[in-house]
Amino acid sequence: MWVVVHLGFQKIERAVRVDDIDHIQGIFNGTSNFILDRMAQSGAAFADVLGQAQELGYAEADPSADVDGWDIANKLCISCDIAYDCFVSPSQDLPVFGIRNITAADINAFARQGYTVKLMGKSRQIGDAFDYVVEPTLYPKNTFEANTRENYNLISLHGETIGDLNFIGQGAGQLPTANAIIQDILDIVQHRDHLKRGFERQLTFQANLMKSDYLLRSTINYQQLFSNYDAHQVGDYVLVHQIPVGLMHSLMKNIQEKDPRAWMVNLPAESHESAVQKVAYN
């Protein structure tokens, strides 16, 4: 499940030789992308599509790493290690939220208005600080992310001089995985040099470096939790405006202690206005 991510690592290595990378994001996990895409295309329930993914060899018998976001977290950490020259290690303190609780009703509500859910890994570096998050995210149907289908990955990065770069390809399955493994073996046998990072930069992880909007689905009374933010009920969801990302993830953990089936999705800036009006209010 590493073929495109493997390529992404190589492209980051090349980019940082002459440029500063300040933004990395992508669909790092082909299994979760397959599940979300099949749910959108078929209208089937999460559990049914997960079973299909397991039959096809995309998902493990225990799919937790894929559907809960931790496989993405590992790959995003490695990407940050290379891009920022700063050691980032996965831990339970990092804001990671998966797709285990997504329903066909969620998928259909967004799809009817032209939006697609993707499980994204995202990181941004600003000055001496960086953030990092894994979370479901809404994208309009005309974006690269929304059109990354089936078991494909999409890795994007931004550099000061190179601008935006995108890499797409299969991210799960026997042959793509075997391809990536063979490439690694050949690198070892041929003594191919890779970029060596000494992790010399002293960057500070700030979970609340950025703010964003979220749609939350839960049965609990949300008013006390979000009393300091603009939050209100819109249809089946609670819309929370401009809340720090790390705080939202922390509050979501509290919500799931009382409502284990609760779920949330991020509204990125590029889809914010129309998504809020079309998805939440319809």
Side-chain angles (χ1 to χ4, degrees):
M1 298 182 185
W2 283 78
V3 60
V4 175
V5 177
H6 181 279
L7 175 62
F9 295 157
Q10 294 176 339
K11 295 302 183 182
I12 295 172
E13 283 187 3
R14 290 179 60 85
V16 298
R17 291 185 300 180
V18 295
D19 204 354
D20 291 325
I21 305 302
D22 57 16
H23 186 201
I24 304 166
Q25 73 168 30
I27 300 168
F28 286 83
N29 183 268
T31 301
S32 59
N33 200 53
F34 173 85
I35 292 171
L36 291 171
D37 186 63
R38 280 295 175 92
M39 289 180 70
Q41 299 304 314
S42 68
F46 173 84
D48 294 335
V49 179
L50 173 59
Q52 295 176 28
Q54 290 171 322
E55 290 175 3
L56 291 169
Y58 294 162
E60 305 287 346
D62 179 0
S64 299
D66 294 321
V67 302
D68 293 331
W70 290 103
D71 176 71
I72 296 176
N74 291 331
K75 295 169 182 175
L76 183 58
C77 280
I78 296 173
S79 299
C80 292
D81 290 343
I82 301 171
Y84 305 153
D85 194 17
C86 176
F87 183 64
V88 183
S89 177
S91 78
Q92 294 297 324
D93 295 329
L94 295 173
V96 177
F97 189 80
I99 59 170
R100 185 182 294 272
N101 288 352
I102 195 170
T103 67
D106 294 322
I107 294 280
N108 292 336
F110 304 139
R112 283 195 302 269
Q113 306 302 330
Y115 292 90
T116 301
V117 183
K118 296 296 182 181
L119 185 56
M120 302 293 293
K122 298 174 278 190
S123 177
R124 187 180 300 273
Q125 184 245 319
I126 301 176
D128 293 329
F130 74 97
D131 68 356
Y132 168 116
V133 63
V134 177
E135 62 188 5
T137 305
L138 275 184
Y139 288 98
K141 62 182 179 180
N142 61 345
T143 58
F144 277 124
E145 290 81 4
N147 286 283
T148 302
R149 304 285 304 280
E150 292 285 328
N151 64 324
Y152 278 69
N153 287 166
L154 171 69
I155 311 302
S156 304
L157 59 89
H158 178 269
E160 184 176 329
T161 59
I162 59 176
D164 295 319
L165 295 178
N166 299 287
F167 310 97
I168 190 170
Q170 290 191 73
Q174 294 178 344
L175 294 180
T177 303
N179 183 292
I181 292 172
I182 294 299
Q183 289 188 52
D184 285 340
I185 292 173
L186 289 174
D187 283 352
I188 294 170
V189 171
Q190 296 171 2
H191 305 287
R192 181 176 177 180
D193 289 333
H194 285 275
L195 178 72
K196 293 180 174 61
R197 283 307 214 182
F199 305 130
E200 297 176 354
R201 297 184 68 187
Q202 299 298 315
L203 300 181
T204 302
F205 169 66
Q206 293 185 14
N208 294 319
L209 185 64
M210 305 297 290
K211 294 181 179 180
S212 193
D213 292 357
Y214 289 85
L215 287 172
L216 162 68
R217 172 177 47 73
S218 177
T219 59
I220 73 164
N221 187 324
Y222 64 89
Q223 293 179 345
Q224 184 174 358
L225 280 174
F226 299 109
S227 58
N228 294 326
Y229 296 91
D230 179 8
H232 50 277
Q233 193 79 35
V234 283
D236 294 330
Y237 304 92
V238 175
L239 173 61
V240 185
H241 285 286
Q242 290 301 289
I243 184 170
V245 170
L247 176 60
M248 183 66 197
H249 279 252
S250 179
L251 292 175
M252 195 63 190
K253 290 181 180 179
N254 296 336
I255 290 170
Q256 287 195 306
E257 290 179 0
K258 299 178 181 179
D259 179 10
R261 303 304 302 170
W263 187 75
M264 71 175 181
V265 63
N266 173 258
L267 297 171
E270 58 268 27
S271 63
H272 164 256
E273 291 298 334
S274 52
V276 168
Q277 294 174 14
K278 293 174 68 176
V279 176
Y281 288 96
N282 283 275

